[in-house]
């Protein structure tokens, strides 16, 4: 509250595109997964898991960026030996990623990992081990993620379908889930990843129709940062629009912190995670009377790390500028070498163009200091518009 005016979005829950699909619920450490919990964001460390200090350092960086759950690779005995220390010291739940060697599944469970990801397609005689894995996981209360990938699909299904079709991916996951269910183990989360967003979306749609397990979304091998962001955003949007998806991982050929930034922004854009700082700014336009690109970049950099829900509008012409600036918590409508500064719809001052960035940052900090950051996860962040 500033000068008697409520900032930010309305206190009512913000609108969402689709109602969440009803699922089973499970706990991955302290993070609830399923339709009764918020969609969570995951990433995976790139360090050698056996290097405990380096891995914990990267987990800390991911945590600071908004990561909810982290996965670590476990391809060797040295990695398995490091799991107890990592699971114990990590600030967020740790999932062990297991391929090829079923013995590491048991090692991860014994190490106290919050969950274990298994890929049945590349673990030798995995189906023969399901009874033992289910017993060990049930004894420790450890959820299992069945992670089916197009690049490592079970040979039986490749032979049946000819390639990794949506039907093949879904059938593989449901087959394995059925084996666990035979042993009365249901703490499962499922993923069916493919590098083609269209194939991936259809595979998840099939799963959503045929089971009630929580689903982990991912476009695997999505590519470099720009391409991977586009692929992930369109695929996640298509599925989350239908209420499908309980955890997400944006797979980029980039540092894992970048995956978290994209994932968090996707969820914020869909009102599935509370919005924080939001910058609204004009696109390229011949009407702009100021350098909007530079203004927006400088304002964004100056407000980096601001945690309150604040919408800031940076507008560069008289057509849409005043209207957009009035709709934001804080905004500027620029032109003719000066900028009108708006706070919640009211012009509070007019400053020369060279003082716009400094003034916006000062006003944003003043507003942030006077705001109470809501504890309610449904509250939305203030928005800053640049245009």
């Amino acid at each position: 509250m500033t000068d008697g005016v409520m900032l930010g979005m309305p206190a009512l829950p913000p609108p969402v595109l689709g109602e969440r699909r009803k699922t089973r619920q499970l706990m991955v450490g302290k993070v609830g997964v399923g339709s009764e919990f918020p969609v969570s964001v995951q990433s995976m460390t790139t360090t050698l898991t056996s290097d405990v200090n380096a891995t914990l350092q990267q987990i800390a960086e991911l945590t600071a960026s908004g990561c909810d759950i982290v996965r670590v690779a476990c391809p060797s005995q040295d990695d398995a030996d490091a799991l107890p220390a990592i699971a114990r010291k990590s600030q967020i739940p740790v999932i062990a990623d297991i391929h090829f060697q079923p013995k590491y599944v048991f090692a991860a469970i014994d190490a106290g990992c919050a969950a274990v990801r298994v890929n049945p397609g590349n673990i030798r005689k995995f189906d023969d081990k399901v009874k033992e894995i289910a017993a060990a996981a049930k004894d420790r209360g450890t959820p299992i993620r069945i992670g089916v990938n197009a690049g490592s699909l079970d040979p039986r299904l490749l032979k049946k379908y000819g390639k990794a079709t949506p039907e093949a991916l879904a059938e593989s996951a449901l087959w394995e889930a059925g084996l666990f269910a035979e042993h009365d183990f249901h703490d499962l989360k499922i993923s069916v990843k493919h590098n083609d967003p269209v194939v991936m979306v259809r595979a998840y749609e099939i799963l959503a129709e045929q089971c009630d397990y929580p689903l982990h979304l991912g476009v695997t091998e999505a590519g470099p940062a720009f391409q991977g962001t586009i692929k992930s955003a369109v695929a996640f949007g298509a599925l989350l629009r239908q209420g499908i998806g309980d955890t997400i991982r944006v797979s980029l050929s980039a540092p894992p912190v970048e995956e978290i930034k994209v994932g968090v922004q996707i969820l914020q854009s869909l009102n599935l995670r509370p919005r924080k700082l939001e910058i609204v700014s004009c696109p390229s336009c011949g009407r702009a009377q100021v350098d909007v690109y530079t203004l927006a970049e400088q304002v964004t950099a100056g407000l980096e790390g601001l945690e309150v829900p604040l919408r800031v509008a940076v507008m560069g012409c008289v057509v849409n500028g005043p209207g957009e600036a009035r709709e934001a918590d804080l905004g500027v409508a620029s032109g003719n070498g000066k900028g009108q500064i708006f706070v919640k719809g009211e012009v509070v001052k007019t400053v020369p163009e060279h003082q716009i960035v400094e003034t916006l940052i000062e006003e944003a900090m003043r507003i942030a200091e006077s705001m109470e950051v809501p504890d309610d996860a449904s509250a939305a962040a203030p928005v800053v518009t640049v245009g």
Side-chain angles (χ1 to χ4, degrees):
M1 184 82 71
T2 299
D3 298 329
V5 178
M6 179 66 72
L7 295 173
M9 300 298 287
L12 294 174
V16 294
L17 289 175
E19 184 179 353
R20 291 280 296 281
R21 158 184 169 267
K22 297 301 181 184
T23 74
R24 296 172 179 267
Q25 314 301 308
L26 55 85
M27 296 301 297
V28 177
K30 63 184 179 182
V31 176
V33 172
S35 54
E36 302 306 311
F37 300 99
V39 178
S40 55
V41 180
Q42 298 188 21
S43 185
M44 187 172 182
T45 56
T46 58
T47 57
L48 290 174
T49 303
S50 56
D51 187 339
V52 173
N53 289 337
T55 301
L56 287 171
Q57 176 61 38
Q58 192 168 76
I59 290 175
E61 294 168 358
L62 289 167
T63 304
S65 297
C67 186
D68 299 306
I69 300 170
V70 67
R71 186 155 47 109
V72 299
C74 186
S76 73
Q77 187 60 51
D78 286 343
D79 298 316
D81 292 342
L83 290 176
I86 293 170
R88 185 175 67 254
K89 295 179 180 180
S90 172
Q91 309 97 313
I92 56 177
V94 173
I95 297 177
D97 188 66
I98 309 299
H99 298 268
F100 306 115
Q101 292 284 352
K103 67 179 181 179
Y104 297 138
V105 176
F106 301 103
I109 293 171
D110 290 342
C113 289
V116 179
R117 182 272 176 121
V118 295
N119 185 343
N122 62 24
I123 294 180
R124 290 192 295 275
K125 298 183 178 179
F126 179 82
D127 292 355
D128 297 337
K129 299 287 185 180
V130 168
K131 181 178 181 179
E132 296 173 55
I133 292 172
K138 182 181 289 188
D139 184 58
R140 291 295 295 264
T142 307
I144 300 290
R145 171 155 75 92
I146 297 172
V148 177
N149 272 28
S152 52
L153 189 64
D154 189 303
R156 295 170 297 180
L157 292 166
L158 276 177
K159 183 177 180 180
K160 176 179 178 180
Y161 288 95
K163 61 180 180 178
T165 65
E167 294 76 13
L169 294 168
E171 182 175 327
S172 175
L174 291 169
W175 166 262
E176 301 300 339
L179 293 181
F180 277 97
E182 287 179 6
H183 300 292
D184 195 30
F185 186 85
H186 304 282
D187 277 352
L188 298 172
K189 181 171 60 168
I190 297 177
S191 65
V192 283
K193 296 186 178 182
H194 197 286
N195 61 68
D196 184 330
V198 175
V199 175
M200 172 266 197
V201 166
R202 184 59 193 139
Y204 279 100
E205 290 173 340
I206 294 171
L207 274 181
E209 293 166 357
Q210 298 188 28
C211 75
D212 64 354
Y213 292 113
L215 301 181
H216 170 73
L217 305 186
V219 179
T220 190
E221 290 98 33
F226 179 76
Q227 175 181 294
T229 294
I230 299 299
K231 281 187 174 183
S232 297
V234 297
F236 294 174
L239 289 167
L240 292 169
R241 169 68 179 86
Q242 303 175 69
I244 298 171
D246 304 287
T247 63
I248 65 171
R249 189 237 172 142
V250 178
S251 298
L252 301 178
S253 300
V257 164
E258 297 304 311
E259 298 184 348
I260 297 302
K261 290 179 180 178
V262 174
V264 167
Q265 192 61 55
I266 289 172
L267 294 185
Q268 287 186 3
S269 296
L270 295 171
N271 286 336
L272 293 172
R273 177 173 282 221
R275 297 189 184 193
K276 294 183 180 178
L277 175 66
E278 181 177 353
I279 305 290
V280 180
S281 59
C282 315
S284 56
C285 172
R287 297 189 303 264
Q289 297 174 329
V290 296
D291 182 355
V292 177
Y293 299 157
T294 301
L295 278 182
E297 288 177 357
Q298 290 177 346
V299 171
T300 301
L303 297 180
E304 184 175 2
L306 198 64
E307 291 296 313
V308 299
L310 183 68
R311 176 175 289 148
V312 178
V314 180
M315 307 303 295
C317 82
V318 296
V319 176
N320 296 319
E324 291 282 5
R326 285 192 184 96
E327 288 297 314
D329 301 297
L330 170 66
V332 60
S334 310
N336 297 320
K338 58 187 178 182
Q340 283 188 315
I341 307 298
F342 291 77
V343 174
K344 205 56 181 178
E346 299 293 332
V347 177
V348 296
K349 62 183 69 173
T350 300
V351 299
E353 183 177 335
H354 70 274
Q355 293 182 7
I356 288 175
V357 172
E358 176 186 356
T359 305
L360 281 177
I361 292 172
E362 288 176 353
E363 289 294 326
M365 295 305 179
R366 182 182 64 81
I367 292 170
E369 289 177 3
S370 64
M371 291 179 69
E372 294 182 7
V373 179
D375 293 327
D376 182 8
S378 67
V383 178
V384 175
T385 305
V386 177

